[in-house]
Amino acid sequence: MRLCIILLFFPLIGFCQLTLNRPSSPTQLVRTALISEGSNIVISNVKFTGNPGSVARFYNESNRALLQKGIVLTTGYIPDIKGPNNSPNTGGPMLKPGDRDLSRIARSPTLDAVVLEFDFNTPYDSIAFEYFFGSEEYPEYVNQGLNDVFAFLLKKVDGGTYKNLAQLPDGKGPISVDNVNAYKNKEYFITNPPFNGREVLDWEQDKDLGEISLTYQFDGLTKVLVACSKIEPNQTYHLKIAIADAGDELYDSGVFLKAGSFKPYSSVESIKAKTEELKLFSGFNKSDLVTDSLGNYHLTTHLKFNTGESIILNESFEVLKQVLSVLYTKLTWKIVVNGHTDSDGEDTYNLKLSQERAAAVASYLMQNNIETNRVAFFGFGDTEPMVENSTNQNKALNRRVEFVFVR
């Protein structure tokens, strides 16, 4: 019976554990994993300090992943961050010293520091990157007066003092176990329950949390956050990404940085505006949303229709309500609805069906107070498949409705 439960469970939430690879060099790690390809930014003087077993590139192709790939630094051994979450206190000493800057922030001696730092120069006046933090210190060390510490320390190379970019929005303070938890700033926090602590059907009701519990060992995580700062164009800056144990070496913590997210921007305001826009799409899977060169958002959905029909089924209205919410917020945006089918049936039949389904969706939007001049729709039949129509699963992926939110 136990075996049957396991075989039933994993298809329900997926089985996309973390893949962790040690980098060949710190320079390669920064240049190929952190920096956005093609970005106008020059990197130099890359340096790593700490145990080489505490840094890695990570991959997680799940649609529910907080971040699908990037860099992770941890105060312990890299394999210990992998789920399932089956221990309340994973960790151990790495027998490495602390970091002076982190000790100042923690107001306590630090241990097992892991530091990745480099210089950069860009003609733009702002930079940003995405990340999240996790720790085994949740919940035992909340409000105990001493937490593991991490920071993104930025300063000009030719002078100035460090500024810590690891801060919550709107002046709510630094990212720490004491400041982000189930009681304080909880809107930024994810409690990671024990993987074996709930019944299979409970996980089926909360697949996102089930995936997190399966993937990460840390008992608590922040949501994905954005570190950003205004800088002087064409000046060389130093960025120090650092994490360390504070107080003890037993409960590990880690920070995950999104691949390709370190980018220059024309202004901090543009970074904040982009962040606010992405919040509008927080109810959708990240892998279903892409941005084109004009800044338009392309969202792939799999709305449900009966076979051969264009009547929208009830289970799809929750998705459409989220689409409406975006349009209600961005009153100047227009939307294009594109219908697609699989390859079953004649080409002319598929084209007509995709047009009718796109028209039905467009009609729903207009019936819910979206002006006619903001909505356009098209059908493409089976001419633009996402994947080959070789299996029933692939065909289900190709039967889709795509929304283009046009600025």
Side-chain angles (χ1 to χ4, degrees):
M1 182 64 180
R2 183 184 298 273
L3 177 62
C4 292
I5 291 175
I6 293 173
L7 291 176
L8 171 65
F9 177 72
F10 284 124
L12 294 178
I13 67 167
F15 192 71
C16 297
Q17 285 260 34
L18 284 177
T19 299
L20 300 163
N21 296 329
R22 294 234 341 236
S24 59
S25 72
T27 300
Q28 185 223 29
L29 189 66
V30 172
R31 292 187 186 278
T32 64
L34 183 60
I35 305 303
S36 174
E37 184 177 353
S39 66
N40 196 345
I41 191 165
V42 177
I43 300 298
S44 61
N45 300 325
V46 182
K47 180 183 177 182
F48 174 80
T49 306
N51 192 310
S54 296
V55 62
R57 299 180 69 160
F58 71 85
Y59 302 87
N60 182 1
E61 296 304 320
S62 168
N63 289 341
R64 298 187 178 92
L66 292 175
L67 296 176
Q68 292 188 324
K69 57 183 178 178
I71 300 170
V72 57
L73 289 77
T74 175
T75 60
Y77 289 101
I78 281 295
D80 288 345
I81 71 175
K82 293 180 65 172
N85 182 18
N86 55 14
S87 171
N89 57 358
T90 299
M94 303 298 288
L95 305 178
K96 289 291 184 179
D99 178 84
R100 183 178 302 175
D101 294 316
L102 291 181
S103 295
R104 290 195 188 102
I105 294 173
R107 298 180 181 178
S108 169
T110 55
L111 305 159
D112 293 339
V114 183
V115 180
L116 182 65
E117 51 192 322
F118 56 90
D119 297 339
F120 68 91
N121 188 296
T122 178
Y124 292 87
D125 74 355
S126 303
I127 55 98
F129 55 93
E130 297 175 53
Y131 69 97
F132 70 90
F133 169 74
S135 181
E136 281 289 83
E137 291 193 335
Y138 291 109
E140 297 93 334
Y141 281 81
V142 174
N143 295 327
Q144 296 301 306
L146 189 63
N147 301 146
D148 289 347
V149 58
F150 85 102
F152 305 132
L153 300 173
L154 179 72
K155 70 176 181 179
K156 289 180 68 173
V157 167
D158 62 359
T161 57
Y162 275 128
K163 170 185 177 183
N164 186 9
L165 307 187
Q167 302 281 330
L168 290 175
D170 303 321
K172 293 183 178 180
I175 314 298
S176 69
V177 171
D178 277 354
N179 196 43
V180 185
N181 51 61
Y183 308 100
K184 187 174 182 180
N185 293 311
K186 60 184 179 180
E187 65 270 28
Y188 302 104
F189 180 67
I190 302 170
T191 297
N192 190 15
F195 182 71
N196 297 323
R198 297 173 67 177
E199 298 293 334
V200 172
L201 292 179
D202 288 341
W203 285 127
E204 174 63 10
Q205 299 303 312
D206 197 342
K207 295 181 181 179
D208 288 339
L209 192 58
E211 188 91 12
I212 288 172
S213 184
L214 177 66
T215 304
Y216 305 104
Q217 183 67 250
F218 295 131
D219 292 335
L221 308 161
T222 71
K223 295 182 178 180
V224 176
L225 299 165
V226 177
C228 62
S229 179
K230 192 171 182 63
I231 58 175
E232 295 180 30
N234 300 309
Q235 296 295 311
T236 302
Y237 281 79
H238 185 75
L239 179 65
K240 180 177 180 179
I241 301 166
I243 188 168
D245 283 321
D248 68 77
E249 300 171 292
L250 300 180
Y251 289 71
D252 290 342
S253 299
V255 60
F256 298 74
L257 296 92
K258 182 178 179 180
S261 68
F262 188 88
K263 300 177 184 178
Y265 291 82
S266 59
S267 68
V268 169
E269 287 70 26
S270 67
I271 298 170
K272 292 180 178 178
K274 185 73 171 180
T275 302
E276 289 301 315
E277 285 184 1
L278 288 173
K279 287 181 182 178
L280 297 174
F281 298 95
S282 60
F284 300 103
N285 288 333
K286 297 181 181 65
S287 60
D288 293 333
L289 186 70
V290 297
T291 309
D292 63 26
S293 59
L294 299 177
N296 300 322
Y297 293 97
H298 295 244
L299 175 68
T300 299
T301 68
H302 294 85
L303 302 180
K304 300 298 183 182
F305 304 85
N306 285 328
T307 302
E309 296 182 359
S310 59
I311 298 174
I312 305 169
L313 298 183
N314 288 338
E315 58 196 282
S316 296
F317 287 121
E318 188 60 37
V319 173
L320 291 174
K321 288 177 182 177
Q322 293 180 62
V323 171
L324 284 169
S325 179
V326 176
L327 294 173
Y328 290 156
T329 303
K330 294 294 185 180
L331 298 178
T332 61
W333 287 8
K334 297 183 179 181
I335 191 165
V336 179
V337 183
N338 295 325
H340 300 268
T341 68
D342 60 31
S343 60
D344 289 347
E346 297 293 331
D347 291 348
T348 53
Y349 172 83
N350 287 336
L351 180 62
K352 182 173 182 291
L353 181 61
S354 67
Q355 292 171 338
E356 291 174 347
R357 289 179 172 176
V361 173
S363 177
Y364 172 85
L365 297 177
M366 290 184 285
Q367 289 171 10
N368 283 273
N369 302 316
I370 305 301
E371 296 88 343
T372 303
N373 62 357
R374 295 178 64 193
V375 183
F377 63 91
F378 302 93
F380 294 88
D382 59 5
T383 62
E384 296 185 0
M386 293 178 63
V387 292
E388 291 186 10
N389 285 286
S390 54
T391 66
N392 288 335
Q393 184 177 13
N394 282 6
K395 289 177 182 179
L397 291 174
N398 289 330
R399 294 191 297 270
R400 67 198 191 277
V401 174
E402 295 177 345
F403 296 93
V404 183
F405 295 85
V406 182
R407 293 178 178 278

